[in-house]
């Protein structure tokens, strides 16, 4: 009698298939909440510092007012172009942002993100008008200037907040390009208000900071409430998320910083150029460019860091 030994298979039976291996869950950047909080507090502190230096001190008033006075000399062709931009700005800003936000909301069903972005946009513009009215007027420091407070710039707040709303609504792979284009639009608006003699440079910088103070917490909420669509593969995986969109504002900001340093050093005591306010105009313009593009680079990096990475084992 022959006994055959049955060999048991170590492979699972067909009716009991192995569960597929789970892909590693995308991870968010470390310290996201802390970084957003720190950036928000920095924006508020910088806003207070901007107001104190450029409104309450003699040096700040002189630099700010000199830039505004020199803008009169450039109010030719550039002034006409700036006036047209500012006349169309409310309609253009609201139309572009409304169309983009509406399309993204309906197609991608990002209803909560749309509500958060809209609330932050309205809050920034309302806060700007409140600050204009409750901030003390400019004290007399020996500088001939309009005493009424014009800080922050309402036109710049509108442009920057509209651009920021679009930035919050698009997916992470589109944000680097959206940040650069929106930041450029806001910077162009700020420079136009200076050329058109509507606002001083500090008014524009303050507007950028007001928008940042509202949009940063809103951005954190958007990422927390929409973790599934706030994912990407990192820089360079898509043309709109190429590092070029970070390099462009960074180079523009550094170039503007060089212009500002050269302009202010040119009017330093003892050079004989103290009364030439053309240098103050270029320094004021450079200050707008620096602050606008610095905010752009910071926001693009921060939101890119906070978004979940699909195919990156290490963060």
């Amino acid at each position: 009698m022959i006994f055959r030994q049955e060999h048991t298979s170590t492979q699972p039976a067909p009716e009991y298939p192995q569960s597929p291996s789970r892909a590693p869950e995308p991870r968010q950047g470390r310290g996201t909440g802390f970084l957003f909080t720190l950036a928000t507090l920095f924006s508020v502190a910088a806003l207070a510092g901007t107001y104190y230096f450029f409104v309450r001190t003699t040096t700040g008033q002189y630099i700010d007012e000199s830039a505004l006075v020199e803008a009169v000399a450039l109010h030719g062709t550039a002034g006409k172009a700036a006036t047209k931009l500012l006349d169309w700005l409310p309609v253009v800003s609201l139309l572009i942002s409304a169309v983009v936000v509406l399309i993204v909301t309906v197609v991608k069903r990002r209803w909560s993100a749309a509500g958060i972005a809209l609330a932050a946009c309205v809050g920034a513009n309302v806060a700007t008008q409140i600050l204009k009215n409750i901030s003390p007027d400019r004290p007399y420091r020996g500088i001939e200037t309009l005493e009424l407070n014009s800080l922050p710039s309402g036109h710049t707040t509108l442009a920057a907040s509209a651009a920021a709303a679009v930035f919050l609504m698009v997916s992470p792979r589109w944000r680097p390009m959206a940040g650069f284009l929106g930041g450029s639009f806001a910077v162009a608006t700020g420079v136009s208000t200076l050329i058109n003699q509507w606002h001083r440079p500090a008014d524009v910088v303050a507007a950028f900071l007001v928008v940042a103070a509202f949009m940063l917490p809103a951005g954190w909420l958007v990422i927390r409430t929409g973790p599934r669509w706030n994912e990407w593969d990192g820089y360079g995986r898509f043309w709109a998320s190429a590092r070029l969109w970070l390099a462009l504002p960074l180079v523009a900001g550094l170039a503007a910083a060089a212009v500002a340093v050269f302009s202010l050093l040119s009017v330093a005591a003892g050079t004989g150029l103290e009364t030439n306010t053309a240098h103050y105009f270029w320094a004021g313009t450079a200050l707008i460019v620096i602050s606008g593009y610095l905010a752009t680079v910071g926001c693009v990096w921060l939101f890119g860091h906070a978004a979940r990475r699909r195919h990156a084992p290490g963060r």
Side-chain angles (χ1 to χ4, degrees):
M1 189 176 194
I2 300 175
F3 296 91
R4 293 182 179 178
Q5 186 178 6
E6 299 290 340
H7 295 279
T8 58
S9 175
T10 58
Q11 300 296 324
E15 60 269 25
Y16 299 104
Q18 281 185 329
S19 59
S21 59
R22 298 182 61 183
E25 185 179 353
R27 291 184 295 176
Q28 197 176 49
R30 297 177 181 177
T32 297
F34 172 76
L35 291 175
F36 271 89
T37 302
L38 187 64
T40 303
L41 294 176
F42 174 81
S43 300
V44 175
L47 175 61
T50 300
Y51 170 80
Y52 175 78
F53 179 73
F54 287 101
V55 175
R56 311 298 298 182
T57 69
T58 303
T59 302
Q61 281 191 11
Y62 183 78
I63 294 174
D64 223 19
E65 189 65 23
S66 296
L68 185 66
V69 169
E70 180 58 26
V72 176
L74 298 177
H75 194 67
T77 303
K80 293 178 181 179
T83 301
K84 290 182 179 179
L85 174 63
L86 294 173
D87 289 341
W88 282 96
L89 178 63
V91 176
V92 172
S93 299
L94 295 178
L95 181 61
I96 294 177
S97 61
V99 169
V100 174
V101 170
L102 182 62
I103 292 176
V104 173
T105 302
V106 174
V107 175
K108 300 296 185 179
R109 300 183 182 276
R110 297 171 186 169
W111 304 101
S112 60
I116 294 170
L118 179 61
C121 185
V122 172
N125 285 274
V126 171
T128 291
Q129 299 305 318
I130 292 176
L131 288 173
K132 279 177 175 290
N133 290 289
I134 68 172
S135 298
D137 293 337
R138 291 173 174 264
Y140 181 70
R141 294 287 187 263
I143 309 299
E144 295 297 330
T145 179
L146 183 66
E147 294 181 357
L148 295 177
N149 179 50
S150 59
L151 181 149
S153 166
H155 278 76
T156 306
T157 301
L158 179 61
S161 61
V166 173
F167 179 81
L168 295 185
M169 289 297 300
V170 298
S171 59
R173 68 174 187 164
W174 288 96
R175 280 180 182 148
M177 184 191 70
F180 172 71
L181 295 180
S184 299
F185 180 61
V187 168
T189 301
V191 173
S192 296
T193 62
L194 174 60
I195 294 175
N196 207 41
Q197 305 160 59
W198 287 16
H199 283 285
R200 305 171 181 87
D203 300 346
V204 177
V205 174
F208 292 152
L209 294 170
V210 169
V211 173
F214 277 84
M215 289 301 179
L216 285 168
W220 182 81
L221 288 175
V222 166
I223 291 176
R224 295 289 294 178
T225 56
R228 298 188 64 180
W229 63 268
N230 274 287
E231 297 179 356
W232 71 327
D233 297 320
Y235 296 104
R237 301 295 185 92
F238 183 61
W239 67 271
S241 58
R243 294 187 182 274
L244 172 69
W245 304 113
L246 266 177
L248 288 175
L250 182 60
V251 171
L254 291 176
V259 171
V261 171
F262 173 78
S263 299
L264 292 177
L265 289 178
S266 297
V267 295
T271 63
L273 297 174
E274 293 84 352
T275 59
N276 187 349
T277 55
H279 295 286
Y280 289 110
F281 171 80
W282 292 116
T285 302
L287 180 62
I288 294 174
V289 176
I290 294 169
S291 58
Y293 280 135
L294 177 63
T296 298
V297 172
C299 286
V300 170
W301 177 86
L302 180 58
F303 279 80
H305 174 76
R308 295 175 182 269
R309 294 282 284 273
R310 296 191 186 101
H311 306 296
R315 287 285 296 216

